[in-house]
Amino acid sequence: MGPDVPLLNDYKQEFFLKRFPQTVLGGPRFKLGYCAPPYIYVNQIILFLTPWLWGGVGTLLYQLGVMKDFCTAALSGGLMFVTALALQMTNLYAKQKTVTVERMQIQNTLTDEDEFEFSSCVGSETVKFIIPGKKYIINTVFHSLLAGVLCGLGTWYLLPNRITLLYSNIGGTVVIFVFGWVTICIGEYSLIINTAAETATFQALDTYEITALMRPFYIFVFIAVDLAHRLLVMFLISAGTAIASYFIPSPLGVILFMTGFGFILSLNLSEIGFAFKHTMISHLASSKSKNAHRGLRIQFGWREFIFYVTVLTFALTEAGLLHQFAGSSSFSQGSPQAIASYILILLLVMMWILREIQRVYLFGVFRNPFYPKDVRTVAVFMEKQRRLMKVGVVRRILLTLVSPFAMIAFLSLDHSLQNLHSVSVSIGFTRMFRMVWQNTENALLDMVVVSAAQMLAFNPDLWWNRSLDTGIKLLLVGLLRDRLLQFLSKLHFAIAILLTSWTEKKQRRRSSAALIALNLAFFPVLLALVAVSALLSSPLLPLFTLPVFLVGFPRPLRSWPGPAGGSACVCSDTVYYRQLVPGLAAALQSALAAGGLGLSLPGSHYLCRFQDRLMWILVLEKGFTYCGVNIKGLELQETSCHAAEAHRVDEIFEMAFEHQEHTRILSPNPHFGHILTPCTVVPVRLYSDARNVLSGIIDSHENLKHLKDDFVKVLVWMLVQYCYKKSKTWESPGSANKNKQGSFPENQHSGAVKGSRALREEDSFSIDTVEDWTDDSDIFDFEPSSRTRDRKEPGQLGLTPKVHLSIPGSIETQSQDFLQEMSPEDKLNRAVVLGLPAVDKGKQPEVLPCVEFSCSYSELLSIPEEWRTAPVPSSKVSEMRQRFPEEWYHFVLSQLDFFHLKEKPSSLLTDLMKDKALKELYIHGVLSCCFGLFGLDNAVPAPRHVFRAYTGGIPWSAGLDWLTGKPELFQLALKAFRYTFKLMLDKASLGPVENFKELVNYLEEYESDWYIGLVSDLEWQQAVLQEKPYLFSLGHDPSMGIYTGRVLTLQELLVQVGKLNAEAVRGQWANLSWELLYATNDDEERYSIQAHPALLRNLTVQAADPPLGYPVYSSQLLQLPLF
């Protein structure tokens, strides 16, 4: 797509032009998109100005001296309440007059496009169009009451005399009076008439009609400032002081209370509660309940409990002793608190140094000379990082134990806590005693700044020292630090958009030059917008991700409603993320504890990359020795936009981790300014994906020539192993006859039909139903159903059921009871002649003779009888006897141990090898499978036939139809063929098999360590979750005409981790929410979803929560213990 792709298509532009005036005016629809009677617009204007009318009545009575100001407000509010209630009752009456079938009253953006027909000025359709009404009765009353209160307060607030006394200017009074009442009319209309769609929508559906309260809420906030600045603040201060003084009169008690609760609130209370609940259940519940909970991962045990109790005890002891015996002196050059300040400064410097040398770039700018260079393998990386791991342990000790106790000492020695404490002292110090544990690094920085300011300004007459206590100073410094970091991140985001709109050729639009010029001309305005956005902690919203910036709606740091991991676009790729997430979480746990990921705070975003997998990590919460994260997996099927941004991510990581052999010390980051900054690499146990082209192997005549012979050997091994495993359920040879029929039940004909139909799917047409072609009867029945009701089952007549080959086109004379059980598709196949060879159905099937074994233990390895009923000519049986690998057969039998037999002769294996009847059974079994997969032709199979046999999509044949009628045998044959194909690849790449022992080793390795199948198989996903060491799949690219092999290998590999600009992510998500939920711009080729390598725009959109984003995997909240 070119850079000038439309921001909104023509249809959405018209929709947006209708919706935006509604948003500005609070809900009146003056642009409908179709012709409507004039009274529709007149009625809306009257309702819009009704609050001004009742407010004008009250204002007039006040100006004439008839009523006092509060009486005027009550009168206007009462009139507005009655009017609002009457309007809602009118809507309910109009609904009762219409038909019973009604559209559900759910606010839906699509209703903006409905076209109404109006009959009269006050008709039911007119009333329902203008006043949609409320969904709940309680909202009908509550919103009406709120409308009255709003009108009354607005009347009182906008009395002309009050405004004139405030500004002493008649012109200013008129302007404020007019625009003030327009604002109140907008709020009232959205509250009681019709709610407009908001530009900042948090979620798609407004279930409880919260949107209608937004505009009135803002108006109440501005009006309440004049009412509450004296009364409310004074009440809170007085009440807070009284409560604090009454309940905790002692300063020492306050210190201990703040220290204890600050520590407790910084712990992972949800995990502790879960552990306590689990412990109670394990003691009280039955053994069944114990087993049910045994698999849950409990991260809080006795070790953690003892550690936390010990830390809390030392913290309380330290705080109490220091406050009691050393906290009386004020801050001076040699005071105990000043000494604690020097210690804090030293700890801050050490913590910063130890944290930065864990990352590949120092402060994201210069290459870290201590970081390992050219890290590509886990062994080399772990060897080079051994020193950094020791540094990480030292940093963890300083962060977890030393720094909190040093900061508690600084707070406990403060002189502000010696006197009777006030609300400001309680608020400031309570916050800091909690931040000491919950956000140690930022709390350390705040205390160092406050203590440095005190050291540089000892004059007690300064405002900073005279009017503010230490708690409030720390609160202000913390607020300033947080907003300053947000300002810098947002400014970085804004400048990146501004520059890349011109430097990136694919982002350069016709309007880019004009927008850049406007931003440069009004750069102070841009800085002010960024500052306001940072002050409100709101995302900076770039409209359509262009350099047009707005202050977004305040949102949580996570940006989306609902619990983490509540939804994802699950597909076949999801299983790979499900497998790697536990290992990735463990690796992140070590990296976070060591500081390799930098300063991680709630709201921080990280991006991990390995081959075609992209993991998006969001830090949700963090406390003392724990961190809660959400991990998302992005799609593996790369589109052009996804591939362009993923390529840039790979380039950034490669420059940081793999191409550093010849770089200079402290070389600059070549991608400085990008929203992604590389941090470190972490070892994770996951699957590496290797894809190879099999040209020269699968089409080699020599390889295909040996394929059939190898298949016979593999099938013999597979059948022997199968029967041997079955024999372990038998106690003695005499019980074999008893269990034989139960172990190998005769398969029903319906199973054969189902299996063959699945395999013929590519070569046959599909019929959804035949019943649609008939009226009341089935045209494929040979006799009316009434003539077959009393017919007996074949078993009741003592007859042997016939062997059915299910050849489409053949006419079978079978019992009508069986025909009635057949599906319509099979009845159609029986009637439609497809030109296949005729079969003599009059001939009775050959009765299999009873097998007489020379060894009584041969029954344990006997093949089921129904596996020997394939309609194979006797000449082929003789040919198979000559091809049968007798030496291999004897070697396979010699590998059996029969340990499960209590009593066995010493010559058991020799007797089994000499039993010709047993060998004959295996010859028939192998021939049956070869007949099903290859037919009776001895020609070398073509590559296409090999591929279709591997995938189970062989064209229909009589042998295949018989084989699929034995599902268990068919699965064994398919598995043996796949093993044979993998053996062919290994022989072509590793060399020929030297002896039988090596061949058995190959097959045993396939059985234990490999899953050989198809990516689309359910067993493939199960093998990934079970962490099979190796997986192999065969594929075909029809466009290029090549066959490909895919091998997944489970091993510990290095995953690259980088930190994203959190404000860039929040800003793009804010625009995504506005664009989809407000402008409804869901075009898949819209501008704001196109590739932007500098902002990673497409990847950021994917990582948003559904329905706006589409990650293929999203984990629940993962609690990572940093203990």
Side-chain angles (χ1 to χ4, degrees):
M1 300 294 291
D4 288 318
V5 61
L7 301 177
L8 287 170
N9 57 39
D10 296 337
Y11 170 74
K12 294 300 180 182
Q13 287 179 8
E14 182 181 356
F15 174 82
F16 179 77
L17 293 176
K18 288 189 298 183
R19 169 170 280 194
F20 187 69
Q22 298 176 26
T23 302
V24 172
L25 296 177
R29 288 179 275 187
F30 295 135
K31 183 178 176 58
L32 301 181
Y34 56 90
C35 184
Y39 54 76
I40 296 297
Y41 305 103
V42 173
N43 288 348
Q44 292 184 86
I45 294 174
I46 293 175
L47 292 175
F48 181 81
L49 297 176
T50 298
W52 201 343
L53 173 64
W54 299 135
V57 171
T59 301
L60 181 61
L61 293 177
Y62 173 76
Q63 292 296 120
L64 296 176
V66 177
M67 303 179 68
K68 300 290 185 179
D69 54 356
F70 58 88
C71 296
T72 298
L75 175 63
S76 299
L79 292 174
M80 193 65 230
F81 169 71
V82 173
T83 302
L85 206 57
L87 291 174
Q88 297 301 320
M89 294 300 107
T90 304
N91 174 266
L92 293 176
Y93 177 73
K95 289 180 181 178
Q96 293 176 356
K97 287 185 62 178
T98 55
V99 294
T100 306
V101 180
E102 284 284 342
R103 180 184 290 107
M104 294 181 64
Q105 293 296 317
I106 297 177
Q107 185 68 25
N108 190 348
T109 58
L110 297 179
T111 58
D112 294 344
E113 301 300 297
D114 293 343
E115 185 171 341
F116 289 81
E117 295 182 1
F118 307 103
S119 56
S120 64
C121 180
V122 291
S124 59
E125 287 295 333
T126 303
V127 173
K128 289 189 297 181
F129 173 77
I130 298 177
I131 312 172
K134 306 295 180 182
K135 288 188 290 187
Y136 307 107
I137 296 298
I138 187 172
N139 280 346
T140 299
V141 179
F142 175 67
H143 289 185
S144 300
L145 181 62
L146 199 62
V149 175
L150 179 62
C151 185
L153 288 177
T155 303
W156 175 83
Y157 190 77
L158 294 174
L159 290 175
N161 286 353
R162 298 185 70 257
I163 300 176
T164 304
L165 291 175
L166 184 62
Y167 294 101
S168 301
N169 187 293
I170 297 178
T173 300
V174 173
V175 171
I176 293 176
F177 182 80
V178 172
F179 283 99
W181 272 111
V182 169
T183 302
I184 292 177
C185 290
I186 290 173
E188 294 279 12
Y189 196 96
S190 65
L191 183 62
I192 61 173
I193 308 298
N194 186 25
T195 303
E198 299 289 354
T199 56
T201 307
F202 187 49
Q203 49 192 0
L205 297 178
D206 185 17
T207 306
Y208 302 106
E209 298 176 311
I210 303 297
T211 307
L213 303 175
M214 299 308 297
R215 287 175 174 79
F217 171 76
Y218 298 141
I219 297 173
F220 274 125
V221 168
F222 281 92
I223 294 177
V225 171
D226 196 37
L227 292 174
H229 77 282
R230 303 190 199 99
L231 304 178
L232 188 61
V233 175
M234 292 175 60
F235 170 79
L236 290 177
I237 293 176
S238 302
T241 304
I243 294 174
S245 302
Y246 180 79
F247 287 102
I248 311 177
S250 170
L252 179 60
V254 173
I255 290 289
L256 297 178
F257 177 81
M258 291 179 179
T259 304
F261 271 87
F263 176 78
I264 293 173
L265 294 177
S266 67
L267 299 178
N268 191 355
L269 297 179
S270 61
E271 190 69 24
I272 295 175
F274 174 77
F276 176 76
K277 179 181 177 181
H278 169 78
T279 304
M280 296 300 297
I281 291 177
S282 63
H283 284 294
L284 300 178
S286 62
S287 59
K288 182 178 179 180
S289 298
K290 293 180 182 179
N291 294 333
H293 288 272
R294 191 169 295 171
L296 295 175
R297 180 181 178 183
I298 306 299
Q299 299 175 352
F300 185 84
W302 286 108
R303 185 185 66 171
E304 287 80 5
F305 177 76
I306 295 173
F307 172 75
Y308 290 147
V309 170
T310 304
V311 171
L312 178 60
T313 303
F314 276 101
L316 292 175
T317 303
E318 178 196 21
L321 293 177
L322 289 177
H323 176 77
Q324 188 70 20
F325 298 105
S328 58
S329 61
S330 59
F331 190 88
S332 61
Q333 191 69 35
S335 63
Q337 192 176 19
I339 298 175
S341 300
Y342 293 124
I343 296 175
L344 293 179
I345 295 174
L346 179 62
L347 284 173
L348 178 65
V349 174
M350 293 177 60
M351 294 276 290
W352 273 24
I353 294 175
L354 296 180
R355 184 185 70 196
E356 290 301 321
I357 63 175
Q358 297 285 333
R359 305 168 63 189
V360 66
Y361 288 116
L362 298 175
F363 305 103
V365 181
F366 301 105
R367 168 76 190 187
N368 181 6
F370 302 100
Y371 196 85
K373 294 184 178 181
D374 196 28
V375 288
R376 301 190 183 187
T377 62
V378 176
V380 175
F381 174 74
M382 298 303 291
E383 180 67 25
K384 292 182 178 181
Q385 205 194 21
R386 187 170 299 174
R387 291 178 299 173
L388 292 182
M389 294 175 64
K390 297 178 181 178
V391 172
V393 172
V394 174
R395 179 185 177 276
R396 189 183 309 179
I397 294 174
L398 292 178
L399 179 66
T400 307
L401 297 176
V402 179
S403 296
F405 285 101
M407 287 187 283
I408 288 178
F410 176 83
L411 294 175
S412 302
L413 293 171
D414 193 78
H415 185 69
S416 303
L417 295 175
Q418 294 293 329
N419 304 322
L420 183 62
H421 46 276
S422 61
V423 171
S424 62
V425 172
S426 300
I427 293 175
F429 279 93
T430 300
R431 170 185 170 273
M432 283 310 301
F433 272 107
R434 180 175 179 177
M435 276 195 66
V436 162
W437 306 101
Q438 188 164 13
N439 198 346
T440 306
E441 293 183 79
N442 283 339
L444 184 61
L445 176 61
D446 296 345
M447 289 189 188
V448 167
V449 171
V450 170
S451 59
Q454 288 181 329
M455 291 178 183
L456 296 176
F458 287 108
N459 188 357
D461 295 331
L462 290 177
W463 171 81
W464 174 264
N465 295 326
R466 184 183 68 254
S467 303
L468 300 177
D469 58 77
T470 304
I472 296 299
K473 292 177 184 176
L474 291 170
L475 177 63
L476 294 177
V477 169
L479 181 64
L480 181 63
R481 168 191 46 78
D482 180 72
R483 296 306 187 259
L484 180 60
L485 292 177
Q486 284 195 37
F487 176 81
L488 295 177
S489 297
K490 294 176 192 294
L491 186 61
H492 174 205
F493 175 46
I495 293 176
I497 292 181
L498 195 62
L499 294 179
T500 55
S501 64
W502 184 262
T503 57
E504 295 279 347
K505 291 184 179 180
K506 292 187 177 181
Q507 309 301 325
R508 193 181 302 169
R509 300 174 58 87
R510 296 175 184 175
S511 58
S512 295
L515 292 176
I516 293 174
L518 287 174
N519 278 276
L520 293 177
F522 294 95
F523 192 72
V525 178
L526 175 61
L527 290 178
L529 281 174
V530 175
V532 171
S533 177
L535 185 63
L536 297 176
S537 192
S538 300
L540 183 66
L541 192 155
L543 204 61
F544 298 106
T545 63
L546 292 173
V548 179
F549 301 101
L550 301 173
V551 178
F553 189 77
R555 290 172 176 267
L557 291 176
R558 187 173 155 261
S559 295
W560 308 111
S567 59
C569 303
V570 179
C571 65
S572 58
D573 297 333
T574 304
V575 65
Y576 303 110
Y577 290 108
R578 290 180 59 191
Q579 181 274 326
L580 70 86
V581 159
L584 179 61
L588 290 175
Q589 174 182 336
S590 301
L592 285 168
L597 301 184
L599 182 61
S600 59
L601 300 172
S604 298
H605 295 261
Y606 296 91
L607 186 66
C608 300
R609 178 70 168 171
F610 176 77
Q611 290 186 348
D612 58 351
R613 272 151 281 183
L614 280 165
M615 291 72 73
W616 192 286
I617 302 170
L618 171 60
V619 179
L620 297 175
E621 59 177 298
K622 194 174 183 184
F624 183 62
T625 68
Y626 84 96
C627 181
V629 300
N630 167 241
I631 301 178
K632 297 178 182 177
L634 306 188
E635 63 180 356
L636 303 184
Q637 302 294 332
E638 294 185 351
T639 61
S640 58
C641 297
H642 180 107
E645 295 185 356
H647 177 72
R648 178 63 63 88
V649 173
D650 291 336
E651 180 183 338
I652 292 173
F653 282 137
E654 287 175 4
M655 292 294 295
F657 300 114
E658 298 180 8
H659 299 159
Q660 294 293 334
E661 290 181 340
H662 306 290
T663 54
R664 295 177 289 105
I665 298 178
L666 296 177
S667 58
N669 179 5
H671 294 280
F672 177 73
H674 196 275
I675 71 165
L676 176 65
T677 302
C679 292
T680 186
V681 293
V682 292
V684 181
R685 186 173 174 82
L686 43 66
Y687 282 100
S688 63
D689 194 348
R691 303 169 191 252
N692 301 311
V693 177
L694 302 182
S695 300
I697 300 179
I698 192 174
D699 52 1
S700 171
H701 182 78
E702 190 69 22
N703 292 335
L704 295 176
K705 182 179 178 181
H706 292 92
L707 183 67
K708 277 191 174 182
D709 295 335
D710 289 339
F711 173 68
V712 172
K713 293 181 180 179
V714 175
L715 187 57
V716 168
W717 181 84
M718 194 79 69
L719 290 175
V720 171
Q721 293 296 321
Y722 174 83
C723 295
Y724 176 70
K725 291 178 181 177
K726 285 287 186 180
S727 70
K728 292 183 178 181
T729 60
W730 303 339
E731 297 178 357
S732 63
S735 64
N737 293 329
K738 299 178 183 179
N739 297 328
K740 196 169 184 179
Q741 294 180 352
S743 301
F744 309 107
E746 184 176 356
N747 295 287
Q748 298 296 326
H749 181 77
S750 59
V753 172
K754 181 178 180 182
S756 62
R757 184 168 62 246
L759 294 172
R760 295 194 304 264
E761 187 174 348
E762 297 184 13
D763 297 289
S764 305
F765 60 88
S766 61
I767 302 169
D768 295 333
T769 178
V770 181
E771 305 300 337
D772 296 338
W773 297 5
T774 64
D775 295 331
D776 299 326
S777 61
D778 196 335
I779 64 174
F780 302 113
D781 286 342
F782 289 96
E783 299 177 0
S785 58
S786 60
R787 297 173 59 184
T788 62
R789 290 176 182 171
D790 300 329
R791 188 171 296 230
K792 296 182 179 180
E793 298 288 339
Q796 295 174 340
L797 299 176
L799 301 176
T800 302
K802 298 180 180 181
V803 178
H804 305 285
L805 298 181
S806 301
I807 303 177
S810 63
I811 300 176
E812 304 176 18
T813 56
Q814 199 172 14
S815 65
Q816 291 297 322
D817 292 335
F818 181 75
L819 289 174
Q820 290 177 354
E821 297 175 1
M822 292 183 63
S823 65
E825 292 184 26
D826 298 298
K827 294 177 183 179
L828 179 63
N829 288 337
R830 295 163 60 89
V832 179
V833 179
L834 299 180
L836 296 175
V839 178
D840 185 5
K841 299 297 292 183
K843 185 179 179 180
Q844 293 292 334
E846 181 182 358
V847 178
L848 295 175
C850 182
V851 180
E852 295 183 2
F853 297 111
S854 61
C855 175
S856 60
Y857 285 88
S858 296
E859 297 177 356
L860 299 177
L861 301 179
S862 176
I863 293 178
E865 291 184 2
E866 64 272 12
W867 290 11
R868 293 177 275 134
T869 59
V872 183
S874 58
S875 60
K876 292 295 179 181
V877 178
S878 301
E879 183 180 338
M880 177 56 69
R881 288 194 185 99
Q882 298 176 2
R883 293 176 50 197
F884 189 77
E886 188 170 350
E887 294 182 1
W888 166 252
Y889 168 72
H890 291 163
F891 181 81
V892 172
L893 291 179
S894 67
Q895 301 298 307
L896 304 180
D897 47 39
F898 290 100
F899 286 150
H900 57 282
L901 297 180
K902 298 178 180 178
E903 298 179 358
K904 60 181 179 180
S906 59
S907 60
L908 173 60
L909 296 179
T910 304
D911 295 340
L912 290 175
M913 295 179 194
K914 293 180 179 180
D915 195 334
K916 295 183 179 180
L918 181 63
K919 186 182 76 170
E920 194 70 20
L921 290 183
Y922 278 93
I923 291 176
H924 278 277
V926 171
L927 179 59
S928 301
C929 295
C930 291
F931 172 59
L933 293 181
F934 298 106
L936 300 177
D937 191 3
N938 291 329
V940 176
R944 177 170 177 79
H945 184 88
V946 172
F947 173 73
R948 302 192 71 170
Y950 183 95
T951 59
I954 309 172
W956 185 91
S957 65
L960 178 65
D961 202 51
W962 175 89
L963 183 60
T964 54
K966 315 295 182 289
E968 205 165 7
L969 179 61
F970 174 73
Q971 291 300 324
L972 282 176
L974 182 61
K975 185 177 181 181
F977 185 84
R978 291 175 173 177
Y979 281 15
T980 306
F981 183 83
K982 183 64 175 65
L983 180 64
M984 182 185 74
L985 296 182
D986 290 343
K987 288 167 62 177
S989 57
L990 302 177
V993 177
E994 299 294 339
N995 48 49
F996 289 158
K997 183 63 177 177
E998 185 179 354
L999 179 57
V1000 169
N1001 292 338
Y1002 268 115
L1003 297 179
E1004 289 178 349
E1005 182 185 356
Y1006 294 160
E1007 187 71 20
S1008 61
D1009 296 341
W1010 286 79
Y1011 174 77
I1012 302 174
L1014 296 174
V1015 177
S1016 57
D1017 293 342
L1018 178 61
E1019 291 80 4
W1020 179 280
Q1021 298 188 12
Q1022 294 174 350
V1024 172
L1025 295 179
Q1026 293 169 3
E1027 295 194 339
K1028 276 276 188 181
Y1030 307 98
L1031 292 90
F1032 173 81
S1033 174
L1034 178 64
H1036 179 239
D1037 187 350
S1039 61
M1040 301 181 64
I1042 59 175
Y1043 296 94
T1044 58
R1046 182 181 183 185
V1047 179
L1048 298 185
T1049 306
L1050 184 65
Q1051 52 188 326
E1052 195 172 35
L1053 297 168
L1054 295 177
V1055 175
Q1056 300 154 336
V1057 186
K1059 188 173 184 178
L1060 294 161
N1061 185 334
E1063 293 303 326
V1065 175
R1066 293 183 67 203
Q1068 294 181 75
W1069 281 356
N1071 172 73
L1072 175 67
S1073 177
W1074 176 88
E1075 197 171 350
L1076 291 184
L1077 298 182
Y1078 179 75
T1080 65
N1081 188 28
D1082 56 353
D1083 187 1
E1084 294 182 355
E1085 299 297 332
R1086 63 185 183 273
Y1087 172 79
S1088 60
I1089 204 176
Q1090 300 300 311
H1092 196 310
L1095 297 179
L1096 303 182
R1097 183 168 57 192
N1098 187 268
L1099 298 180
T1100 305
V1101 170
Q1102 287 185 48
D1105 280 8
L1108 303 186
Y1110 44 97
V1112 300
Y1113 173 80
S1114 181
S1115 71
Q1116 302 291 333
L1117 173 63
L1118 300 177
Q1119 304 283 4
L1120 307 182
L1122 308 179
F1123 177 65

